[in-house]
Amino acid sequence: MRGNVQEGVYTTSEIVSEYVDVKLRTLNKLTNKYCSRLEKFGKMRFEIAPLPSGQSRKVWHYNEQQATLLITFMRNTEQVADFKENLVKAFYQLREEITKQQLMLERNHKTNKDLGEVIHEYLPDNKYAYSNYHTLAYKTVTGFTPKQLRTMYHVADAQEALTSEQLEQIETVRQAIASLIIIGQDYRTIKQAISKPA
């Protein structure tokens, strides 16, 4: 199961194939056969995934309704029935996570703006301050810089790579950084302070 704020929640033909023990080739044939029916529930999307052999294969992306409909076209073995049950749970959990991510992204936008204003007011002559503190917040929470996260997760904004829990932690760290700047602490002191385990 996959998903993000931009694309929503989806599963792939690779995941379905693995969990219902159906060959990917068979699943792709089934998808092609019922494509017009599946498209009634949203545009059919796919990616071309590279194989170790140097060749590539088509990997379908199914939204919740498409995945649910697709598995109704399969023989109802115990494994397929288990997958149907797990699919419903997984879509629900991922939808909840994306809702939390959206909420935290909105809150983070405000916290980020607040930090920017504090830096502008208290460190007006340090043109690298915002970039340094922004990177520090990300490294403190994830262990990676925003640039590394963008590259690893193929996203335009590093926030898109974070879970709702990480977004909440980033918000807390940014608030702490802003407070420490206001009381006159330097970068090294702030880095030590926010890096201490809670």
Side-chain angles (χ1 to χ4, degrees):
M1 194 68 58
R2 297 180 188 167
N4 57 49
V5 173
Q6 283 67 37
E7 293 183 55
V9 183
Y10 66 92
T11 191
T12 69
S13 50
E14 288 178 325
I15 293 169
V16 175
S17 170
E18 179 183 345
Y19 284 94
V20 298
D21 196 27
V22 170
K23 288 186 175 155
L24 193 59
R25 191 180 324 118
T26 304
L27 192 60
N28 283 341
K29 281 183 185 174
L30 197 63
T31 301
N32 288 328
K33 180 178 178 181
Y34 293 108
C35 195
S36 61
R37 291 180 184 269
L38 295 167
E39 282 210 309
K40 291 177 183 175
F41 298 95
K43 183 175 180 179
M44 290 297 294
R45 299 185 184 281
F46 63 88
E47 62 183 286
I48 302 298
L51 294 170
S53 65
Q55 295 180 311
S56 59
R57 69 176 170 205
K58 183 185 277 190
V59 177
W60 289 98
H61 292 193
Y62 310 110
N63 65 29
E64 183 175 5
Q65 293 88 354
Q66 290 165 340
T68 304
L69 180 60
L70 182 69
I71 57 178
T72 64
F73 298 138
M74 296 179 190
R75 200 163 43 88
N76 213 18
T77 64
E78 197 62 33
Q79 203 163 357
V80 170
D82 287 345
F83 180 71
K84 286 177 182 178
E85 184 181 331
N86 292 331
L87 184 71
V88 170
K89 288 178 189 170
F91 268 113
Y92 177 78
Q93 289 168 344
L94 199 50
R95 241 191 340 264
E96 276 205 332
E97 170 63 12
I98 287 175
T99 300
K100 287 179 190 171
Q101 281 178 320
Q102 286 173 321
L103 176 65
M104 289 310 305
L105 282 168
E106 288 169 20
R107 283 176 43 181
N108 261 281
H109 179 70
K110 167 94 171 70
T111 310
N112 197 29
K113 187 177 173 192
D114 292 346
L115 176 59
E117 288 172 359
V118 167
I119 289 169
H120 181 73
E121 183 177 344
Y122 288 85
L123 304 169
D125 299 326
N126 185 343
K127 63 180 178 179
Y128 301 110
Y130 179 79
S131 174
N132 290 340
Y133 284 116
H134 180 68
T135 299
L136 177 61
Y138 274 88
K139 284 202 76 164
T140 300
V141 172
T142 69
F144 299 102
T145 67
K147 184 178 180 181
Q148 288 170 324
L149 288 167
R150 288 193 301 271
T151 302
M152 286 164 45
Y153 291 94
H154 309 289
V155 292
D157 184 338
Q159 288 189 122
E160 295 170 32
L162 304 182
T163 64
S164 59
E165 185 180 340
Q166 288 172 320
L167 286 166
E168 193 167 359
Q169 291 169 358
I170 287 268
E171 180 183 31
T172 302
V173 168
R174 283 179 176 150
Q175 289 169 340
I177 290 170
S179 298
L180 291 165
I181 290 171
I182 289 169
I183 62 169
Q185 300 299 320
D186 63 15
Y187 179 85
R188 187 148 95 200
T189 306
I190 292 173
K191 183 177 180 182
Q192 287 174 341
I194 66 171
S195 296
K196 286 180 183 173

